[in-house]
Amino acid sequence: PEQSVASCEEAYNIFLAAGNRLGAADAVRLIGDHQGSEGHFEQAIATYQRALHILQELGEHEKIGAVLNNMAINFASEGKLDRAEQLYRQAMYHFEQAGDKADAATALGNIADILYLRGNLPAAAKVYGQAMELENSMDPGDPAYATYRLADLALAQGRIKDAHRGAQQAVDLLGPVQGGYQYLTAAMIVLGDVLKAEGDLKGAQQHYQAALDIRLKVGEMDLLAESQVSLADLALEEGHPEQAEPLLRPAITEFEREKDPDAIGACTLLSRTLLTEGKLEEARKAIQHAADLGRNSPNPALTLPLAIQNARIETAAAAPGTAGRLALTAARQQLRAAIADARKLGYYQIEWEAQLALGEAELKANSSTGRSQLENLGKETHERGFELLSRKAQLLASANEALPSHQ
């Protein structure tokens, strides 16, 4: 990759000397793609503007659409979602003018991603559906991206059967031969997430590991970090926090190097891991770092778990006495706020995670109330097919039958 910019600049000069402005614009766009992949978003945006300047009088909709789409990716990475959505819609217009249904569907999927990042789940689902319809209208069509993104959204909404069916369908559609590794491994991660939620930790492990093996072969460090986080989460659920920590720390370093917002979720998971290991102050530092990274994040899927973990730390730190009761009260208020926000947005999986944390806090404040809440949560999540959450709630309820309260 380090040789790519010089090669593209050379190609640009050759194309320009030959009077081929379209080829020259392609070379510049590729430079922008490389800069963006390295986390140099502003530099990439300026490079894409340079490509657009070359293309502006040529009336070439296809290439303008590609530049606008890729520029939007960088704005999205910076958290400038309004600008990203605007550019994706402009890109879609140009793809439509060029008669390029495939790339128009890609732009639609990207618009849906922006809606998902904002926490507008119903609108995101609608646009993913439109992208899928457009893909299915082509021969050959490739609806796999929209399929696994819809599966991920269904999981967030607590519709686990729809999530399982969609994720499996996407993996089958992509396959090891016809699917690009990036989409295939992403679909495998979603399927692993579904299996984990269903309580099938062995099945989740197989899909996470298979995705990691593919990503190792191609050497994509950002994708590799994502797989490491998935495996770390699974290790924590299996009761092996000592295995999770060494997976998370290099992943966080990579995310931060690339200015990837996934660093927020990885730091939140590191905090959970450290808390499980009894390292209270380290857990607090990790969640504070996550909060610093997520201060301007528009994504509820990152900020709500952060708030839940912060409350868990305060719950764990609360000692008997007046100060402890005040800390517990504050933690419970924070969790109730997270539950209300998650419910309003339709993030039912996150809502149940917050209810689990609230049950833990209630156990310390009033053991009988906490047990009752956890038992109810265990029943509800069991009925919805979220067996991992159900087992955790039931285990907490039964393990704390004789727990003294802070009252």
Side-chain angles (χ1 to χ4, degrees):
E2 64 277 0
Q3 297 171 18
S4 62
V5 172
S7 296
C8 286
E9 288 286 6
E10 185 179 358
Y12 166 78
N13 290 325
I14 294 168
F15 280 129
L16 215 57
N20 186 343
R21 292 175 68 186
L22 292 177
D26 279 344
V28 174
R29 174 174 55 80
L30 287 169
I31 294 170
D33 292 347
H34 174 73
Q35 291 165 339
S37 72
E38 293 283 297
H40 305 305
F41 305 130
E42 285 299 317
Q43 192 178 1
I45 289 164
T47 301
Y48 291 131
Q49 292 285 8
R50 180 181 158 201
L52 286 175
H53 182 73
I54 298 168
L55 292 167
Q56 63 184 359
E57 295 176 359
L58 300 180
E60 220 293 335
H61 289 291
E62 180 73 38
K63 294 184 185 297
I64 289 173
V67 173
L68 290 170
N69 183 83
N70 294 9
M71 190 191 297
I73 292 169
N74 289 270
F75 278 111
S77 297
E78 289 184 322
K80 298 173 182 175
L81 300 189
D82 290 347
R83 181 62 174 146
E85 183 181 354
Q86 182 185 38
L87 290 173
Y88 281 138
R89 291 190 183 278
Q90 289 177 15
M92 187 172 73
Y93 165 79
H94 285 284
F95 289 138
E96 287 172 341
Q97 292 300 303
D100 183 350
K101 285 187 175 182
D103 280 329
T106 297
L108 261 179
N110 290 337
I111 292 165
D113 287 343
I114 296 295
L115 295 167
Y116 196 173
L117 283 171
R118 286 203 192 102
N120 192 344
L121 304 190
K126 181 180 178 181
V127 179
Y128 282 132
Q130 291 170 351
M132 194 181 296
E133 285 176 17
L134 187 54
E135 286 282 3
N136 286 329
S137 73
M138 292 181 278
D139 185 19
D142 183 15
Y145 180 77
T147 302
Y148 78 72
R149 293 295 290 157
L150 271 172
D152 186 67
L153 195 151
L155 182 64
Q157 291 179 317
R159 297 183 289 111
I160 203 158
K161 289 181 180 178
D162 292 342
H164 193 142
R165 183 169 55 250
Q168 185 64 64
Q169 184 183 357
V171 170
D172 294 342
L173 279 169
L174 288 160
V177 179
Q178 66 267 38
Y181 69 85
Q182 189 171 359
Y183 288 169
L184 173 60
T185 55
M188 292 165 78
I189 293 285
V190 174
L191 183 53
D193 291 344
V194 173
L195 291 167
K196 182 181 69 178
E198 290 176 328
D200 182 2
L201 302 188
K202 185 178 179 182
Q205 164 78 27
Q206 289 171 348
H207 283 85
Y208 289 155
Q209 190 62 51
L212 178 68
D213 291 343
I214 293 170
R215 289 169 170 183
L216 273 170
K217 285 181 183 177
V218 297
E220 286 279 2
M221 295 309 295
D222 57 335
L223 297 179
L224 195 63
E226 183 189 29
S227 285
Q228 288 174 315
V229 172
S230 296
L231 285 165
D233 194 1
L234 191 64
L236 186 60
E237 296 295 357
E238 290 176 328
H240 299 294
E242 75 286 351
Q243 295 175 13
E245 192 176 339
L247 286 167
L248 286 168
R249 292 196 183 277
I252 291 167
T253 300
E254 180 61 26
F255 286 143
E256 291 190 339
R257 186 185 73 81
E258 297 189 2
K259 300 176 185 174
D260 191 322
D262 283 345
I264 302 165
C267 286
T268 301
L269 182 58
L270 177 61
S271 178
R272 280 179 52 206
T273 300
L274 293 166
L275 186 62
T276 303
E277 292 178 307
K279 301 172 182 177
L280 185 62
E281 287 311 309
E282 286 186 55
R284 185 174 271 126
K285 286 178 184 175
I287 205 62
Q288 183 56 56
H289 186 51
D292 292 341
L293 292 171
R295 185 161 286 117
N296 298 314
S297 173
N299 190 351
L302 294 174
T303 56
L304 286 170
L306 195 161
I308 293 166
Q309 175 58 15
N310 188 67
R312 276 201 168 110
I313 290 170
E314 297 312 313
T315 297
T322 303
R325 284 197 297 273
L326 289 172
L328 271 177
T329 298
R332 285 145 68 202
Q333 286 174 343
Q334 186 173 22
L335 289 167
R336 290 189 186 104
I339 289 167
D341 288 344
R343 186 175 297 161
K344 180 181 177 182
L345 293 168
Y347 283 91
Y348 288 104
Q349 188 180 22
I350 294 177
E351 180 191 334
W352 293 327
E353 286 286 357
Q355 287 181 357
L356 183 71
L358 180 60
E360 290 181 78
E362 292 289 5
L363 282 173
K364 289 188 82 169
N366 186 320
S367 57
S368 61
T369 301
R371 279 198 307 276
S372 176
Q373 289 184 1
L374 288 166
E375 286 165 1
N376 289 335
L377 177 62
K379 289 174 186 175
E380 181 182 3
T381 47
H382 172 70
E383 289 168 2
R384 297 290 193 98
F386 282 76
E387 289 301 326
L388 181 63
L389 265 167
S390 179
R391 288 202 298 255
K392 286 159 76 171
Q394 291 168 359
L395 190 65
L396 271 171
S398 61
N400 290 276
E401 288 179 358
L403 196 73
S405 75
H406 272 226
Q407 289 186 329

